[in-house]
Amino acid sequence: MLDTKFVRENLDVVLDAMRSRNKEWNAEGFLALDGRRRALIGQIEALKAERNTTSKQVGELMRAAASKTDEAQANSAKVEAEAAKERVRAINTEAETLENELAGVEAELNNEVLSLPNLPSASTPAGASEEDNIEVRRWGTPRAFDKEGFEAKPHWDLGPELGMIDFERGVKLTKSRFILLGGQGARLERALINFMADTHGSRGYKEWWCPLLGNADTLTGTGQLPKFEDDLFKTTEGLYLIPTAEVMLTNIHRGEVLDADTLPRRYCAFTSCFREEAGSAGRDTRGLIRVHQFDKVEMVKLSAPENSFDELESMVADAENILQLLELPYRVIELCTGDLGFSATKTYDLEVWLPSYEDYKEISSCSNCGDFQARRASIKYRSVGEAGEKTTGFVHTLNGSGLAVGRTMAAIIENYQNSDGSLTVPTVLQPYLGGLTRIEAE
C-alpha cells in the first residue's frame, strides 16, 4: 500500500501515476476523508486534555471542600466538584462518540489506500495497454514444422491422443477449466516441478513447502484483498485458496524486522494455484493456458531498497534459465505503465513460443513491488550505520514465476512433437523421468 502521508503530500504525483495506469481515483474523496480524520483526532485530543485538567480540578475541589471549616464554603466546593465530575462524564461520552466515528473514517480511509495500485517506477515505460509493451530480447528460434513435412498439433489435441491430458473427465470431476493428467502427463508434471525447484535451489533459493489456504491478513499483505476478492476461491471458514505461492512466501516474515545483512532473502516454492478469474470467460480457455487450478514454482525475494532493481534483473535471468535449459524459444517483454499488475512498480514478462497460437504466450511474470507489499504486511529491515546508529525501513519485495508448470507442459508438447505423433522428452528432463526419451500413445 502507499503511505497515507505520501499520498496527501504528493497528490499530483499519485494522480499522474493513476492516469498512467488508466485508473480512476477520487482524490477529493481521499482528501475529505483524511481531513475529517485529522479533525477528529484534534477534537479527541482536545477533549482528553480538557478531561485531564477537569479531573485534576475535581480532586482539588474535593480536598478544598474537606478542608473548609465554613459549611457554606465547603458546600460550594462540593457543588463545583460535582459540576466538574459531570463535565468529565460528558467529555467521556462525547469522546467515545468521536472515537467511534474516527474508527469508521480510518477504516474507510484504509480501504481507500489499500485499493490504490502501486506507483510505476521511473524506469517503467509509459503506455496505455499491452500494445505499448516493449520487447527486450528473444532467445531461440521457433521450429518450422512445415519444412519438416507435417503440421504441428495443438497441445489440447496431442495431449489427449498421448493419454497425457483428459479434459472431459476433469470437467466431470469438478467443473469447466479443471484438468486431469494421466500416465506420462502426470509424470511429466512431477518432473517439471522437481526440475524447476532443484534448479532454483542450485541458484541460491531456499525452498519452502507452503499451505494452500491463507487467511485474510495474508492475502491482504500481498494485495489480493480487498480489491480482488472476486478472483479468489473462499472457504466457509473465511480462508482463501492461494492464487500463487507468492502470497505465502512473501508473508513468511509478515510483522517481522530482518537484519540488513541477511538480505536479500531468496525463496522458492511449488504449490498448486487457484484462481476464480471472474470476468475472464472466453480468454485462452482452451487447453492448459487459463485454468482454475494449476501448478507453479514461484520465486520471491526480500531485498534492501537500493538493490531491488538489480535483484529483479537476476530474477528474470533465473526464469530465463529454466526456458533455456528446456530449449524453448521465448521473448522478454517489459510492461508499460498501463499494463502493470496491481502491486508492481516494474515488471518483465517471459513469453514462450506456442505453435498453436503462432505467437508467444506469457509463462512467467517477474515484478519488483518496491515497499508496496512490505508496507501492507509490515516487513521491515534493520541496518546499523558506521557510528553504530540503528535505522529501520521497509524491505522491497519481488516475485516471479519460475515457471507456470501447465503452460510449460503445453509448450513442451507443442514444440517437441514428432511427425509420428510421439513426443521427444527434453534432455534436461530425462533424468527426472527415469531416462525416458520419448512419449508415445498409450
Side-chain angles (χ1 to χ4, degrees), residues 142-143 329-330 351-355 358-361 411 414-415:
R143 281 176 67 184
Y330 68 88
E351 298 180 346
V352 69
W353 176 259
L354 284 179
E358 295 185 348
D359 200 357
Y360 294 90
K361 300 297 290 185
E414 294 194 9
N415 285 283

Side-chain angles (χ1 to χ4, degrees), residues 173-216:
L173 292 173
T174 310
K175 66 173 186 177
S176 63
R177 292 164 65 184
F178 284 85
I179 61 164
L180 181 65
L181 299 178
Q184 299 300 345
R187 292 189 68 205
L188 181 58
E189 185 87 356
R190 284 191 292 111
L192 283 167
I193 292 166
N194 288 332
F195 159 66
M196 291 175 186
D198 288 349
T199 302
H200 292 311
S202 71
R203 292 166 76 95
Y205 289 82
K206 178 179 179 179
E207 185 178 357
W208 296 83
W209 192 267
C210 305
L212 298 181
L213 290 167
N215 57 38

Side-chain angles (χ1 to χ4, degrees), residues 245-421:
E246 167 205 341
V247 173
M248 291 303 182
L249 293 176
T250 305
N251 277 278
I252 287 173
H253 296 293
R254 187 175 76 237
E256 298 180 19
V257 180
L258 308 175
D259 289 330
D261 60 7
T262 69
L263 300 177
R265 302 283 183 99
R266 298 183 178 96
Y267 296 155
C268 73
F270 148 70
T271 64
S272 290
C273 306
F274 304 86
R275 300 184 184 180
E276 180 65 42
E277 295 195 294
S280 66
R283 295 173 50 212
D284 297 327
T285 54
R286 193 174 187 184
L288 301 175
I289 301 304
R290 192 177 296 274
V291 292
H292 289 309
Q293 177 185 336
F294 60 96
D295 294 331
K296 182 154 65 80
V297 174
E298 184 76 359
M299 302 175 288
V300 160
K301 293 184 181 182
L302 306 180
S303 169
E306 63 270 20
N307 300 324
S308 66
F309 286 98
D310 289 337
E311 291 296 337
L312 175 61
E313 298 297 329
S314 68
M315 177 178 279
V316 173
D318 291 330
E320 288 186 77
N321 180 54
I322 298 293
L323 288 168
Q324 291 174 12
L325 290 171
L326 290 169
E327 300 182 77
L328 291 170
Y330 68 88
R331 66 179 182 178
V332 179
I333 302 293
E334 184 176 4
L335 300 195
C336 69
T337 55
D339 200 30
L340 276 182
F342 179 77
S343 297
T345 185
K346 186 179 182 68
T347 296
Y348 293 101
D349 277 359
L350 275 63
E351 298 180 346
V352 69
W353 176 259
L354 284 179
S356 59
Y357 288 85
E358 295 185 348
D359 200 357
Y360 294 90
K361 300 297 290 185
E362 180 191 334
I363 197 167
S364 173
S365 188
C366 298
S367 299
N368 184 353
C369 298
D371 65 3
F372 187 82
Q373 293 178 326
R375 192 177 296 277
R376 298 169 75 105
S378 188
I379 309 171
K380 298 181 179 181
Y381 72 101
R382 180 191 301 108
S383 59
V384 181
E386 293 182 1
E389 72 279 11
K390 293 182 179 180
T391 59
T392 60
F394 290 103
V395 303
H396 281 194
T397 65
L398 303 93
N399 62 78
S401 308
L403 304 164
V405 180
R407 294 189 179 198
T408 306
M409 180 183 291
I412 289 172
I413 291 173
E414 294 194 9
N415 285 283
Y416 277 88
Q417 61 183 288
N418 301 308
S419 59
D420 62 0

